[in-house]
Amino acid sequence: MSLYKAETRRLVKRRFTKLFVGCALLVLAAIAAGVFLSNQKAGPETIAQAKADAQNSYQQALADTNRLIDECRAAQGTAKAGDYPPNCEIQLPTPSDFDPRWYMPATFDFKESFPGMVTTLAAVLAVVAYIIGASFVGAEWNSGGMMNLLLWRPKRLQVLGTKLATLLVATTALTVVLAAIWTAVFYFIAQARGTTAGMTDGAWQSIGLTELRALGLVLVTAAVGFGLASIGRHTATALGVAIGVIVVLQFGLGAVISLAKVKFPELYLAPFWVYAWMNKQYVAEDYNSCNFSGTDGCRPDTLTITWQMAGVALTVLFAVVVGVAMWTMRRRDIT
């Protein structure tokens, strides 16, 4: 049996892999069920009721405002006059202030809402891929299985590279299959509890590209978890780094740079780079600055993190962690 086939079989058969994939499926199923139950299709009756509710709210607001104007006029020349605007200049509401859409029940718009669901899928799978990737190699280092494997295949880099390739191929297959199912499920939800209007070829292409970026994010997190566990030769190394990055680096650093009033603090925080990667861009704003404009007033300085910039950051992270893992595999003593 080839090394790749043996590693694929070991990865797929591991109870740890099955457990976390099963947990991911349960989480995703719960999310889909929640979206289905919390939305409903807007039929003619629902639309008519929303328009009626908007009209009723307008009439009530108009009556309340007229009553307030009458009270203001009656208070003129008394001590209570200061409680009202000068000359009773109170603006009356208009029907346009009460949009019937505000009175509609939640309805799932596939074109507008599904990209957010792709990000949710990517987040869940990224966490699972990171943990499985770390455990896949970390457990072998901890148990001594890596040493035994190198007796059979003494080429260190080939062994570690094959393990990583096995992980990435399996992760790709899982992500592609789940993304296809995820898309089909939410398209059904949109048909049953919302709308699929506006789904042109361009809209489908945009969703496809978003899912490709989701795949890239999942693959990078899997490789980083694998690489960190290999460097530390224990699964706990990768988990410890993840906790340290989230708790110490992100929250701690976020608090420090906020107190220091650093310009564009988002540049130092990973979630904003992930957001930019999945949503094409993130616009950071510096509210300590003011660019005055006669038409727009005071506007802050902005800096846009593009998906290309985020992609370069993910590529560098992948290359550094995997490169160091390969270097330590070649240079350090196995025992």
Side-chain angles (χ1 to χ4, degrees), residues 290-299:
C290 176
N291 299 311
F292 184 78
S293 169
T295 56
D296 299 326
C298 188
R299 304 198 59 169

Side-chain angles (χ1 to χ4, degrees), residues 101-236:
R101 290 178 297 180
W102 302 341
Y103 300 85
M104 296 278 289
T107 183
F108 188 78
D109 188 321
F110 188 84
K111 183 180 179 180
E112 293 185 2
S113 302
F114 184 65
M117 293 296 102
V118 175
T119 300
T120 301
L121 173 68
V124 172
L125 293 183
V127 172
V128 172
Y130 184 91
I131 296 173
I132 291 177
S135 174
F136 183 46
V137 68
E140 280 210 69
W141 280 115
N142 190 47
S143 66
M146 184 68 77
M147 290 181 287
N148 294 331
L149 178 58
L150 289 174
L151 293 175
W152 174 49
R153 283 290 182 91
K155 296 182 180 180
R156 297 183 178 191
L157 295 185
Q158 183 185 42
V159 168
L160 191 64
T162 301
K163 286 181 175 292
L164 178 59
T166 300
L167 173 67
L168 296 182
V169 170
T171 302
T172 299
L174 176 64
T175 304
V176 169
V177 171
L178 288 182
I181 297 174
W182 195 245
T183 304
V185 167
F186 277 92
Y187 192 79
F188 164 75
I189 291 175
Q191 288 183 319
R193 298 277 184 160
T195 178
T196 58
M199 289 307 300
T200 61
D201 291 342
W204 280 112
Q205 182 180 11
S206 178
I207 287 176
L209 292 174
T210 303
E211 291 179 337
L212 279 177
R213 291 195 297 274
L215 173 61
L217 178 64
V218 174
L219 291 178
V220 169
T221 54
V224 169
F226 179 94
L228 291 174
S230 182
I231 293 169
R233 299 189 175 184
H234 203 291
T235 304

Side-chain angles (χ1 to χ4, degrees), residues 266-289:
E266 295 93 334
L267 293 177
Y268 306 93
L269 303 176
F272 296 100
W273 289 84
V274 174
Y275 180 93
W277 172 250
M278 290 302 303
N279 295 279
K280 298 182 181 179
Q281 67 175 24
Y282 175 81
V283 180
E285 298 183 342
D286 178 24
Y287 290 100
N288 295 320
S289 63

